[in-house]
Amino acid sequence: GAGVSQSPSNKVTEKGKDVELRCDPISGHTALYWYRQRLGQGLEFLIYFQGNSAPDKSGLPSDRFSAERTGESVSTLTIQRTQQEDSAVYLCASSSTGLLKPQHFGDGTRLSIL
Amino acid sequence: DAKTTQPPSMDCAEGRAANLPCNHSTISGNEYVYWYRQIHSQGPQYIIHGLKNNETNEMASLIITEDRKSSTLILPHATLRDTAVYYCIVGLKLTDKLIFGTGTRLQVFP
């Protein structure tokens, strides 16, 4: 079946612009996660959704970052007034209900801030 | 901070077993060990998880020591497509946010 889909796959933008990244989770998956991966580093957690509520936003680095989710479907991560340090791959994952259900990842959006 | 320690890199000949170690000396009694891998330019892929018993699935085997302070992921017959960064993670449940360390870069060579 279809996996987690992210768009765009690549985004290049100028410093100061706003960007919106999209994640389509696996159908029926109630949990959705956003992570960030800087070049050569491991993943950093950003935010977790259960349904359309976000019980854990602890990883969002600043108030320039926000995310929302519509029902138990699409999520968007918005970065306002982008900075060069925002350059990274942004990865989305989803999982179904159950404590031992693994997270399934998309291939990410590679964001480059000029 | 990641609660695991892994060697930064390992090599393995194609067709041989790849044994990837992980130290998690501060693991608590109800925490699981789970492994993901990340092939270049792709998102991480779940491999396997375990609590205290050894586990095997179609991808790999997981051997956890009796004191649970370390574990080994075994790829029984490595192929070139197994070249990736392998992450060992501990946590209460797979649906928790995953805290990734720097992982082990496994290079499988012909």
Side-chain angles (χ1 to χ4, degrees), chain A residues 33 35 37 42-43 45 56 58 91 95 98-103 105-107, chain B residues 32 36 38 41-44 46 49 87 92-98 100-101:
Chain A
Y33 312 77
Y35 294 86
Q37 186 171 31
L43 278 72
F45 167 78
D56 190 348
S58 61
L91 290 149
S95 68
L99 300 181
L100 297 180
K101 297 297 183 183
Q103 296 177 34
F105 284 81
D107 287 336
Chain B
Y32 288 81
Y36 278 77
Q38 189 172 24
S41 297
Q42 297 181 21
Y46 165 79
H49 72 273
Y87 296 98
L92 288 172
K93 48 189 186 290
L94 290 173
T95 49
D96 272 344
K97 61 189 180 188
L98 299 174
F100 287 76

PDB file of all heavy atoms in Angstrom, chain A residues 33 35 37 42-43 45 56 58 91 95 98-103 105-107, chain B residues 32 36 38 41-44 46 49 87 92-98 100-101:
ATOM      1  N   TYR A  33       4.130  12.477  13.152  1.00  0.00           N
ATOM      2  CA  TYR A  33       5.311  13.093  13.758  1.00  0.00           C
ATOM      3  C   TYR A  33       6.071  13.893  12.704  1.00  0.00           C
ATOM      4  O   TYR A  33       6.143  13.493  11.541  1.00  0.00           O
ATOM      5  CB  TYR A  33       6.272  12.012  14.292  1.00  0.00           C
ATOM      6  CG  TYR A  33       5.631  10.938  15.126  1.00  0.00           C
ATOM      7  CD1 TYR A  33       4.903   9.915  14.531  1.00  0.00           C
ATOM      8  CD2 TYR A  33       5.783  10.925  16.511  1.00  0.00           C
ATOM      9  CE1 TYR A  33       4.323   8.910  15.280  1.00  0.00           C
ATOM     10  CE2 TYR A  33       5.199   9.918  17.273  1.00  0.00           C
ATOM     11  CZ  TYR A  33       4.474   8.928  16.650  1.00  0.00           C
ATOM     12  OH  TYR A  33       3.901   7.924  17.409  1.00  0.00           O
ATOM     13  N   TYR A  35      10.013  15.465  12.178  1.00  0.00           N
ATOM     14  CA  TYR A  35      11.406  15.486  12.627  1.00  0.00           C
ATOM     15  C   TYR A  35      12.201  16.355  11.668  1.00  0.00           C
ATOM     16  O   TYR A  35      11.803  16.576  10.513  1.00  0.00           O
ATOM     17  CB  TYR A  35      12.011  14.068  12.603  1.00  0.00           C
ATOM     18  CG  TYR A  35      11.417  13.079  13.578  1.00  0.00           C
ATOM     19  CD1 TYR A  35      10.281  12.349  13.243  1.00  0.00           C
ATOM     20  CD2 TYR A  35      12.012  12.840  14.816  1.00  0.00           C
ATOM     21  CE1 TYR A  35       9.734  11.423  14.123  1.00  0.00           C
ATOM     22  CE2 TYR A  35      11.478  11.908  15.699  1.00  0.00           C
ATOM     23  CZ  TYR A  35      10.343  11.211  15.342  1.00  0.00           C
ATOM     24  OH  TYR A  35       9.817  10.281  16.215  1.00  0.00           O
ATOM     25  N   GLN A  37      16.286  16.816  10.195  1.00  0.00           N
ATOM     26  CA  GLN A  37      17.616  16.195  10.122  1.00  0.00           C
ATOM     27  C   GLN A  37      18.562  17.136   9.405  1.00  0.00           C
ATOM     28  O   GLN A  37      18.441  17.342   8.185  1.00  0.00           O
ATOM     29  CB  GLN A  37      17.559  14.846   9.410  1.00  0.00           C
ATOM     30  CG  GLN A  37      18.878  14.094   9.438  1.00  0.00           C
ATOM     31  CD  GLN A  37      18.755  12.677   8.914  1.00  0.00           C
ATOM     32  OE1 GLN A  37      17.935  12.384   8.041  1.00  0.00           O
ATOM     33  NE2 GLN A  37      19.572  11.766   9.439  1.00  0.00           N
ATOM     34  N   GLY A  42      21.783  13.158  13.245  1.00  0.00           N
ATOM     35  CA  GLY A  42      20.604  12.333  13.493  1.00  0.00           C
ATOM     36  C   GLY A  42      19.336  13.174  13.454  1.00  0.00           C
ATOM     37  O   GLY A  42      19.373  14.383  13.254  1.00  0.00           O
ATOM     38  N   LEU A  43      18.213  12.515  13.620  1.00  0.00           N
ATOM     39  CA  LEU A  43      16.922  13.206  13.561  1.00  0.00           C
ATOM     40  C   LEU A  43      16.621  13.911  14.874  1.00  0.00           C
ATOM     41  O   LEU A  43      16.905  13.394  15.950  1.00  0.00           O
ATOM     42  CB  LEU A  43      15.797  12.204  13.282  1.00  0.00           C
ATOM     43  CG  LEU A  43      15.585  11.792  11.834  1.00  0.00           C
ATOM     44  CD1 LEU A  43      16.690  10.881  11.343  1.00  0.00           C
ATOM     45  CD2 LEU A  43      14.234  11.121  11.672  1.00  0.00           C
ATOM     46  N   PHE A  45      13.377  15.491  16.977  1.00  0.00           N
ATOM     47  CA  PHE A  45      11.923  15.520  17.060  1.00  0.00           C
ATOM     48  C   PHE A  45      11.433  16.966  17.078  1.00  0.00           C
ATOM     49  O   PHE A  45      12.013  17.828  17.740  1.00  0.00           O
ATOM     50  CB  PHE A  45      11.483  14.808  18.338  1.00  0.00           C
ATOM     51  CG  PHE A  45      10.047  15.035  18.712  1.00  0.00           C
ATOM     52  CD1 PHE A  45       9.043  14.340  18.062  1.00  0.00           C
ATOM     53  CD2 PHE A  45       9.703  15.947  19.696  1.00  0.00           C
ATOM     54  CE1 PHE A  45       7.719  14.546  18.401  1.00  0.00           C
ATOM     55  CE2 PHE A  45       8.390  16.165  20.038  1.00  0.00           C
ATOM     56  CZ  PHE A  45       7.392  15.464  19.397  1.00  0.00           C
ATOM     57  N   ASP A  56       2.369  16.985  22.095  1.00  0.00           N
ATOM     58  CA  ASP A  56       3.793  17.224  22.326  1.00  0.00           C
ATOM     59  C   ASP A  56       4.346  18.112  21.218  1.00  0.00           C
ATOM     60  O   ASP A  56       4.517  17.659  20.095  1.00  0.00           O
ATOM     61  CB  ASP A  56       4.561  15.901  22.406  1.00  0.00           C
ATOM     62  CG  ASP A  56       5.999  16.072  22.874  1.00  0.00           C
ATOM     63  OD1 ASP A  56       6.483  17.228  22.931  1.00  0.00           O
ATOM     64  OD2 ASP A  56       6.644  15.066  23.185  1.00  0.00           O
ATOM     65  N   SER A  58       7.146  19.901  21.987  1.00  0.00           N
ATOM     66  CA  SER A  58       8.348  20.321  22.703  1.00  0.00           C
ATOM     67  C   SER A  58       9.567  20.537  21.809  1.00  0.00           C
ATOM     68  O   SER A  58      10.501  21.226  22.197  1.00  0.00           O
ATOM     69  CB  SER A  58       8.694  19.304  23.785  1.00  0.00           C
ATOM     70  OG  SER A  58       8.963  18.037  23.205  1.00  0.00           O
ATOM     71  N   LEU A  91      11.395  15.493   7.973  1.00  0.00           N
ATOM     72  CA  LEU A  91      10.829  14.149   7.809  1.00  0.00           C
ATOM     73  C   LEU A  91       9.530  14.021   8.581  1.00  0.00           C
ATOM     74  O   LEU A  91       9.402  14.512   9.706  1.00  0.00           O
ATOM     75  CB  LEU A  91      11.817  13.097   8.310  1.00  0.00           C
ATOM     76  CG  LEU A  91      13.052  12.920   7.434  1.00  0.00           C
ATOM     77  CD1 LEU A  91      14.256  12.513   8.259  1.00  0.00           C
ATOM     78  CD2 LEU A  91      12.778  11.893   6.351  1.00  0.00           C
ATOM     79  N   SER A  95       2.041   6.510  12.498  1.00  0.00           N
ATOM     80  CA  SER A  95       1.880   5.168  13.060  1.00  0.00           C
ATOM     81  C   SER A  95       0.419   4.949  13.409  1.00  0.00           C
ATOM     82  O   SER A  95      -0.345   5.899  13.642  1.00  0.00           O
ATOM     83  CB  SER A  95       2.776   4.959  14.288  1.00  0.00           C
ATOM     84  OG  SER A  95       2.351   5.754  15.360  1.00  0.00           O
ATOM     85  N   GLY A  98      -1.629   1.845  18.994  1.00  0.00           N
ATOM     86  CA  GLY A  98      -0.979   0.713  19.656  1.00  0.00           C
ATOM     87  C   GLY A  98       0.431   1.099  20.043  1.00  0.00           C
ATOM     88  O   GLY A  98       1.168   1.667  19.243  1.00  0.00           O
ATOM     89  N   LEU A  99       0.823   0.765  21.265  1.00  0.00           N
ATOM     90  CA  LEU A  99       2.093   1.242  21.805  1.00  0.00           C
ATOM     91  C   LEU A  99       3.298   0.709  21.051  1.00  0.00           C
ATOM     92  O   LEU A  99       4.352   1.320  21.046  1.00  0.00           O
ATOM     93  CB  LEU A  99       2.199   0.860  23.277  1.00  0.00           C
ATOM     94  CG  LEU A  99       1.124   1.421  24.197  1.00  0.00           C
ATOM     95  CD1 LEU A  99       1.377   0.984  25.618  1.00  0.00           C
ATOM     96  CD2 LEU A  99       1.058   2.931  24.089  1.00  0.00           C
ATOM     97  N   LEU A 100       3.139  -0.446  20.440  1.00  0.00           N
ATOM     98  CA  LEU A 100       4.279  -1.056  19.763  1.00  0.00           C
ATOM     99  C   LEU A 100       4.131  -1.039  18.253  1.00  0.00           C
ATOM    100  O   LEU A 100       4.717  -1.861  17.554  1.00  0.00           O
ATOM    101  CB  LEU A 100       4.489  -2.487  20.280  1.00  0.00           C
ATOM    102  CG  LEU A 100       4.836  -2.572  21.766  1.00  0.00           C
ATOM    103  CD1 LEU A 100       5.014  -4.032  22.193  1.00  0.00           C
ATOM    104  CD2 LEU A 100       6.110  -1.783  22.081  1.00  0.00           C
ATOM    105  N   LYS A 101       3.379  -0.093  17.754  1.00  0.00           N
ATOM    106  CA  LYS A 101       3.266   0.064  16.310  1.00  0.00           C
ATOM    107  C   LYS A 101       4.375   0.989  15.848  1.00  0.00           C
ATOM    108  O   LYS A 101       4.480   2.121  16.308  1.00  0.00           O
ATOM    109  CB  LYS A 101       1.907   0.645  15.930  1.00  0.00           C
ATOM    110  CG  LYS A 101       0.734  -0.242  16.300  1.00  0.00           C
ATOM    111  CD  LYS A 101       0.770  -1.561  15.575  1.00  0.00           C
ATOM    112  CE  LYS A 101      -0.460  -2.389  15.911  1.00  0.00           C
ATOM    113  NZ  LYS A 101      -0.407  -3.727  15.257  1.00  0.00           N
ATOM    114  N   PRO A 102       5.241   0.539  14.940  1.00  0.00           N
ATOM    115  CA  PRO A 102       6.385   1.367  14.558  1.00  0.00           C
ATOM    116  C   PRO A 102       5.983   2.590  13.750  1.00  0.00           C
ATOM    117  O   PRO A 102       4.941   2.615  13.099  1.00  0.00           O
ATOM    118  CB  PRO A 102       7.237   0.412  13.723  1.00  0.00           C
ATOM    119  CG  PRO A 102       6.284  -0.588  13.188  1.00  0.00           C
ATOM    120  CD  PRO A 102       5.232  -0.764  14.247  1.00  0.00           C
ATOM    121  N   GLN A 103       6.842   3.585  13.780  1.00  0.00           N
ATOM    122  CA  GLN A 103       6.647   4.769  12.963  1.00  0.00           C
ATOM    123  C   GLN A 103       7.172   4.492  11.558  1.00  0.00           C
ATOM    124  O   GLN A 103       8.257   3.948  11.382  1.00  0.00           O
ATOM    125  CB  GLN A 103       7.395   5.959  13.587  1.00  0.00           C
ATOM    126  CG  GLN A 103       6.844   6.340  14.952  1.00  0.00           C
ATOM    127  CD  GLN A 103       7.613   7.465  15.604  1.00  0.00           C
ATOM    128  OE1 GLN A 103       8.119   8.371  14.945  1.00  0.00           O
ATOM    129  NE2 GLN A 103       7.696   7.426  16.926  1.00  0.00           N
ATOM    130  N   PHE A 105       8.219   6.259   8.028  1.00  0.00           N
ATOM    131  CA  PHE A 105       8.697   7.560   7.584  1.00  0.00           C
ATOM    132  C   PHE A 105       8.507   7.784   6.095  1.00  0.00           C
ATOM    133  O   PHE A 105       8.605   6.856   5.286  1.00  0.00           O
ATOM    134  CB  PHE A 105      10.194   7.703   7.882  1.00  0.00           C
ATOM    135  CG  PHE A 105      10.510   7.969   9.327  1.00  0.00           C
ATOM    136  CD1 PHE A 105      10.539   6.930  10.247  1.00  0.00           C
ATOM    137  CD2 PHE A 105      10.780   9.261   9.766  1.00  0.00           C
ATOM    138  CE1 PHE A 105      10.834   7.172  11.582  1.00  0.00           C
ATOM    139  CE2 PHE A 105      11.070   9.503  11.088  1.00  0.00           C
ATOM    140  CZ  PHE A 105      11.095   8.460  11.998  1.00  0.00           C
ATOM    141  N   GLY A 106       8.284   9.057   5.735  1.00  0.00           N
ATOM    142  CA  GLY A 106       8.407   9.470   4.355  1.00  0.00           C
ATOM    143  C   GLY A 106       9.870   9.741   4.036  1.00  0.00           C
ATOM    144  O   GLY A 106      10.746   9.597   4.892  1.00  0.00           O
ATOM    145  N   ASP A 107      10.134  10.132   2.802  1.00  0.00           N
ATOM    146  CA  ASP A 107      11.515  10.400   2.388  1.00  0.00           C
ATOM    147  C   ASP A 107      11.931  11.854   2.602  1.00  0.00           C
ATOM    148  O   ASP A 107      13.052  12.231   2.273  1.00  0.00           O
ATOM    149  CB  ASP A 107      11.729  10.004   0.931  1.00  0.00           C
ATOM    150  CG  ASP A 107      11.782   8.490   0.751  1.00  0.00           C
ATOM    151  OD1 ASP A 107      12.117   7.787   1.736  1.00  0.00           O
ATOM    152  OD2 ASP A 107      11.478   8.011  -0.354  1.00  0.00           O
TER     153      ASP A 107
ATOM    154  N   TYR B  32      11.946  -0.509  25.883  1.00  0.00           N
ATOM    155  CA  TYR B  32      12.262  -1.379  24.768  1.00  0.00           C
ATOM    156  C   TYR B  32      13.544  -0.904  24.077  1.00  0.00           C
ATOM    157  O   TYR B  32      13.915   0.270  24.157  1.00  0.00           O
ATOM    158  CB  TYR B  32      11.122  -1.370  23.748  1.00  0.00           C
ATOM    159  CG  TYR B  32       9.885  -2.090  24.194  1.00  0.00           C
ATOM    160  CD1 TYR B  32       8.957  -1.485  25.042  1.00  0.00           C
ATOM    161  CD2 TYR B  32       9.625  -3.398  23.778  1.00  0.00           C
ATOM    162  CE1 TYR B  32       7.831  -2.156  25.456  1.00  0.00           C
ATOM    163  CE2 TYR B  32       8.495  -4.069  24.181  1.00  0.00           C
ATOM    164  CZ  TYR B  32       7.605  -3.445  25.028  1.00  0.00           C
ATOM    165  OH  TYR B  32       6.480  -4.117  25.435  1.00  0.00           O
ATOM    166  N   TYR B  36      16.248   1.178  13.872  1.00  0.00           N
ATOM    167  CA  TYR B  36      15.855   1.719  12.582  1.00  0.00           C
ATOM    168  C   TYR B  36      17.124   1.797  11.727  1.00  0.00           C
ATOM    169  O   TYR B  36      18.234   1.826  12.252  1.00  0.00           O
ATOM    170  CB  TYR B  36      15.282   3.132  12.719  1.00  0.00           C
ATOM    171  CG  TYR B  36      13.836   3.198  13.125  1.00  0.00           C
ATOM    172  CD1 TYR B  36      13.452   2.979  14.445  1.00  0.00           C
ATOM    173  CD2 TYR B  36      12.847   3.496  12.193  1.00  0.00           C
ATOM    174  CE1 TYR B  36      12.120   3.043  14.825  1.00  0.00           C
ATOM    175  CE2 TYR B  36      11.510   3.565  12.559  1.00  0.00           C
ATOM    176  CZ  TYR B  36      11.163   3.341  13.874  1.00  0.00           C
ATOM    177  OH  TYR B  36       9.841   3.409  14.240  1.00  0.00           O
ATOM    178  N   GLN B  38      18.657   3.940   8.056  1.00  0.00           N
ATOM    179  CA  GLN B  38      18.406   5.006   7.098  1.00  0.00           C
ATOM    180  C   GLN B  38      19.365   4.853   5.933  1.00  0.00           C
ATOM    181  O   GLN B  38      20.581   5.048   6.090  1.00  0.00           O
ATOM    182  CB  GLN B  38      18.558   6.385   7.748  1.00  0.00           C
ATOM    183  CG  GLN B  38      18.105   7.523   6.852  1.00  0.00           C
ATOM    184  CD  GLN B  38      18.087   8.854   7.568  1.00  0.00           C
ATOM    185  OE1 GLN B  38      18.784   9.070   8.544  1.00  0.00           O
ATOM    186  NE2 GLN B  38      17.273   9.783   7.065  1.00  0.00           N
ATOM    187  N   SER B  41      19.505   9.253   1.521  1.00  0.00           N
ATOM    188  CA  SER B  41      18.440  10.039   0.880  1.00  0.00           C
ATOM    189  C   SER B  41      17.038   9.469   1.084  1.00  0.00           C
ATOM    190  O   SER B  41      16.099   9.869   0.382  1.00  0.00           O
ATOM    191  CB  SER B  41      18.692  10.196  -0.630  1.00  0.00           C
ATOM    192  OG  SER B  41      19.867  10.912  -0.846  1.00  0.00           O
ATOM    193  N   GLN B  42      16.889   8.563   2.022  1.00  0.00           N
ATOM    194  CA  GLN B  42      15.564   8.033   2.341  1.00  0.00           C
ATOM    195  C   GLN B  42      15.234   8.306   3.806  1.00  0.00           C
ATOM    196  O   GLN B  42      16.117   8.635   4.607  1.00  0.00           O
ATOM    197  CB  GLN B  42      15.496   6.532   2.076  1.00  0.00           C
ATOM    198  CG  GLN B  42      15.703   6.152   0.624  1.00  0.00           C
ATOM    199  CD  GLN B  42      15.590   4.655   0.411  1.00  0.00           C
ATOM    200  OE1 GLN B  42      15.002   3.931   1.210  1.00  0.00           O
ATOM    201  NE2 GLN B  42      16.147   4.169  -0.685  1.00  0.00           N
ATOM    202  N   GLY B  43      13.952   8.149   4.152  1.00  0.00           N
ATOM    203  CA  GLY B  43      13.563   8.245   5.556  1.00  0.00           C
ATOM    204  C   GLY B  43      13.962   6.981   6.302  1.00  0.00           C
ATOM    205  O   GLY B  43      14.202   5.938   5.694  1.00  0.00           O
ATOM    206  N   PRO B  44      14.051   7.064   7.624  1.00  0.00           N
ATOM    207  CA  PRO B  44      14.389   5.866   8.403  1.00  0.00           C
ATOM    208  C   PRO B  44      13.360   4.755   8.210  1.00  0.00           C
ATOM    209  O   PRO B  44      12.181   5.008   7.971  1.00  0.00           O
ATOM    210  CB  PRO B  44      14.375   6.382   9.848  1.00  0.00           C
ATOM    211  CG  PRO B  44      14.637   7.842   9.735  1.00  0.00           C
ATOM    212  CD  PRO B  44      13.954   8.256   8.471  1.00  0.00           C
ATOM    213  N   TYR B  46      11.939   1.158   9.982  1.00  0.00           N
ATOM    214  CA  TYR B  46      11.891   0.311  11.177  1.00  0.00           C
ATOM    215  C   TYR B  46      12.432  -1.080  10.847  1.00  0.00           C
ATOM    216  O   TYR B  46      12.137  -1.642   9.778  1.00  0.00           O
ATOM    217  CB  TYR B  46      10.444   0.204  11.662  1.00  0.00           C
ATOM    218  CG  TYR B  46      10.201  -0.901  12.663  1.00  0.00           C
ATOM    219  CD1 TYR B  46      10.538  -0.753  14.002  1.00  0.00           C
ATOM    220  CD2 TYR B  46       9.630  -2.104  12.259  1.00  0.00           C
ATOM    221  CE1 TYR B  46      10.309  -1.772  14.911  1.00  0.00           C
ATOM    222  CE2 TYR B  46       9.397  -3.127  13.165  1.00  0.00           C
ATOM    223  CZ  TYR B  46       9.741  -2.953  14.483  1.00  0.00           C
ATOM    224  OH  TYR B  46       9.524  -3.970  15.382  1.00  0.00           O
ATOM    225  N   HIS B  49      12.248  -4.665  17.184  1.00  0.00           N
ATOM    226  CA  HIS B  49      12.310  -4.193  18.559  1.00  0.00           C
ATOM    227  C   HIS B  49      12.256  -5.382  19.510  1.00  0.00           C
ATOM    228  O   HIS B  49      11.817  -6.481  19.132  1.00  0.00           O
ATOM    229  CB  HIS B  49      11.186  -3.204  18.877  1.00  0.00           C
ATOM    230  CG  HIS B  49       9.828  -3.821  18.986  1.00  0.00           C
ATOM    231  ND1 HIS B  49       9.013  -4.012  17.890  1.00  0.00           N
ATOM    232  CD2 HIS B  49       9.143  -4.286  20.056  1.00  0.00           C
ATOM    233  CE1 HIS B  49       7.883  -4.577  18.276  1.00  0.00           C
ATOM    234  NE2 HIS B  49       7.929  -4.758  19.582  1.00  0.00           N
ATOM    235  N   TYR B  87      20.409   2.865  13.536  1.00  0.00           N
ATOM    236  CA  TYR B  87      20.169   3.555  14.790  1.00  0.00           C
ATOM    237  C   TYR B  87      19.566   2.603  15.821  1.00  0.00           C
ATOM    238  O   TYR B  87      18.567   1.930  15.550  1.00  0.00           O
ATOM    239  CB  TYR B  87      19.198   4.720  14.588  1.00  0.00           C
ATOM    240  CG  TYR B  87      19.697   5.824  13.700  1.00  0.00           C
ATOM    241  CD1 TYR B  87      19.323   5.890  12.359  1.00  0.00           C
ATOM    242  CD2 TYR B  87      20.525   6.822  14.206  1.00  0.00           C
ATOM    243  CE1 TYR B  87      19.767   6.915  11.546  1.00  0.00           C
ATOM    244  CE2 TYR B  87      20.966   7.861  13.395  1.00  0.00           C
ATOM    245  CZ  TYR B  87      20.583   7.898  12.077  1.00  0.00           C
ATOM    246  OH  TYR B  87      21.022   8.930  11.284  1.00  0.00           O
ATOM    247  N   LEU B  92       9.971   3.796  25.919  1.00  0.00           N
ATOM    248  CA  LEU B  92       8.879   3.057  26.539  1.00  0.00           C
ATOM    249  C   LEU B  92       7.955   2.430  25.510  1.00  0.00           C
ATOM    250  O   LEU B  92       7.414   1.359  25.729  1.00  0.00           O
ATOM    251  CB  LEU B  92       8.087   3.991  27.461  1.00  0.00           C
ATOM    252  CG  LEU B  92       8.812   4.389  28.749  1.00  0.00           C
ATOM    253  CD1 LEU B  92       8.025   5.459  29.484  1.00  0.00           C
ATOM    254  CD2 LEU B  92       9.014   3.180  29.638  1.00  0.00           C
ATOM    255  N   LYS B  93       7.756   3.103  24.418  1.00  0.00           N
ATOM    256  CA  LYS B  93       6.857   2.568  23.398  1.00  0.00           C
ATOM    257  C   LYS B  93       7.246   3.154  22.052  1.00  0.00           C
ATOM    258  O   LYS B  93       7.813   4.229  21.971  1.00  0.00           O
ATOM    259  CB  LYS B  93       5.394   2.873  23.731  1.00  0.00           C
ATOM    260  CG  LYS B  93       5.082   4.311  24.121  1.00  0.00           C
ATOM    261  CD  LYS B  93       3.659   4.410  24.626  1.00  0.00           C
ATOM    262  CE  LYS B  93       3.258   5.852  24.902  1.00  0.00           C
ATOM    263  NZ  LYS B  93       3.937   6.418  26.057  1.00  0.00           N
ATOM    264  N   LEU B  94       6.938   2.409  21.011  1.00  0.00           N
ATOM    265  CA  LEU B  94       7.359   2.822  19.672  1.00  0.00           C
ATOM    266  C   LEU B  94       6.663   4.089  19.236  1.00  0.00           C
ATOM    267  O   LEU B  94       7.129   4.787  18.346  1.00  0.00           O
ATOM    268  CB  LEU B  94       7.094   1.701  18.668  1.00  0.00           C
ATOM    269  CG  LEU B  94       7.996   0.476  18.813  1.00  0.00           C
ATOM    270  CD1 LEU B  94       7.536  -0.640  17.897  1.00  0.00           C
ATOM    271  CD2 LEU B  94       9.433   0.808  18.519  1.00  0.00           C
ATOM    272  N   THR B  95       5.537   4.404  19.857  1.00  0.00           N
ATOM    273  CA  THR B  95       4.817   5.601  19.476  1.00  0.00           C
ATOM    274  C   THR B  95       5.339   6.843  20.185  1.00  0.00           C
ATOM    275  O   THR B  95       4.866   7.938  19.931  1.00  0.00           O
ATOM    276  CB  THR B  95       3.316   5.441  19.760  1.00  0.00           C
ATOM    277  OG1 THR B  95       3.154   4.945  21.104  1.00  0.00           O
ATOM    278  CG2 THR B  95       2.687   4.438  18.810  1.00  0.00           C
ATOM    279  N   ASP B  96       6.313   6.677  21.083  1.00  0.00           N
ATOM    280  CA  ASP B  96       6.978   7.843  21.646  1.00  0.00           C
ATOM    281  C   ASP B  96       7.807   8.532  20.577  1.00  0.00           C
ATOM    282  O   ASP B  96       8.196   7.921  19.588  1.00  0.00           O
ATOM    283  CB  ASP B  96       7.931   7.427  22.761  1.00  0.00           C
ATOM    284  CG  ASP B  96       7.249   7.366  24.114  1.00  0.00           C
ATOM    285  OD1 ASP B  96       6.147   7.911  24.254  1.00  0.00           O
ATOM    286  OD2 ASP B  96       7.836   6.755  25.020  1.00  0.00           O
ATOM    287  N   LYS B  97       8.104   9.808  20.812  1.00  0.00           N
ATOM    288  CA  LYS B  97       9.045  10.461  19.908  1.00  0.00           C
ATOM    289  C   LYS B  97      10.366   9.692  19.959  1.00  0.00           C
ATOM    290  O   LYS B  97      10.801   9.252  21.018  1.00  0.00           O
ATOM    291  CB  LYS B  97       9.257  11.915  20.305  1.00  0.00           C
ATOM    292  CG  LYS B  97       9.833  12.113  21.698  1.00  0.00           C
ATOM    293  CD  LYS B  97       9.810  13.587  22.074  1.00  0.00           C
ATOM    294  CE  LYS B  97      10.378  13.801  23.467  1.00  0.00           C
ATOM    295  NZ  LYS B  97      10.190  15.183  23.939  1.00  0.00           N
ATOM    296  N   LEU B  98      10.961   9.502  18.821  1.00  0.00           N
ATOM    297  CA  LEU B  98      12.199   8.748  18.731  1.00  0.00           C
ATOM    298  C   LEU B  98      13.369   9.693  18.953  1.00  0.00           C
ATOM    299  O   LEU B  98      13.439  10.755  18.350  1.00  0.00           O
ATOM    300  CB  LEU B  98      12.305   8.074  17.364  1.00  0.00           C
ATOM    301  CG  LEU B  98      11.193   7.078  17.042  1.00  0.00           C
ATOM    302  CD1 LEU B  98      11.321   6.592  15.598  1.00  0.00           C
ATOM    303  CD2 LEU B  98      11.237   5.899  17.995  1.00  0.00           C
ATOM    304  N   PHE B 100      17.083   9.964  18.317  1.00  0.00           N
ATOM    305  CA  PHE B 100      18.141   9.355  17.521  1.00  0.00           C
ATOM    306  C   PHE B 100      19.504   9.854  17.973  1.00  0.00           C
ATOM    307  O   PHE B 100      19.691  11.034  18.178  1.00  0.00           O
ATOM    308  CB  PHE B 100      17.974   9.715  16.043  1.00  0.00           C
ATOM    309  CG  PHE B 100      16.836   9.024  15.340  1.00  0.00           C
ATOM    310  CD1 PHE B 100      15.532   9.433  15.539  1.00  0.00           C
ATOM    311  CD2 PHE B 100      17.079   7.966  14.477  1.00  0.00           C
ATOM    312  CE1 PHE B 100      14.483   8.798  14.895  1.00  0.00           C
ATOM    313  CE2 PHE B 100      16.035   7.329  13.820  1.00  0.00           C
ATOM    314  CZ  PHE B 100      14.738   7.746  14.025  1.00  0.00           C
ATOM    315  N   GLY B 101      20.437   8.920  18.094  1.00  0.00           N
ATOM    316  CA  GLY B 101      21.835   9.293  18.261  1.00  0.00           C
ATOM    317  C   GLY B 101      22.466   9.439  16.882  1.00  0.00           C
ATOM    318  O   GLY B 101      21.774   9.737  15.906  1.00  0.00           O
TER     319      GLY B 101
END
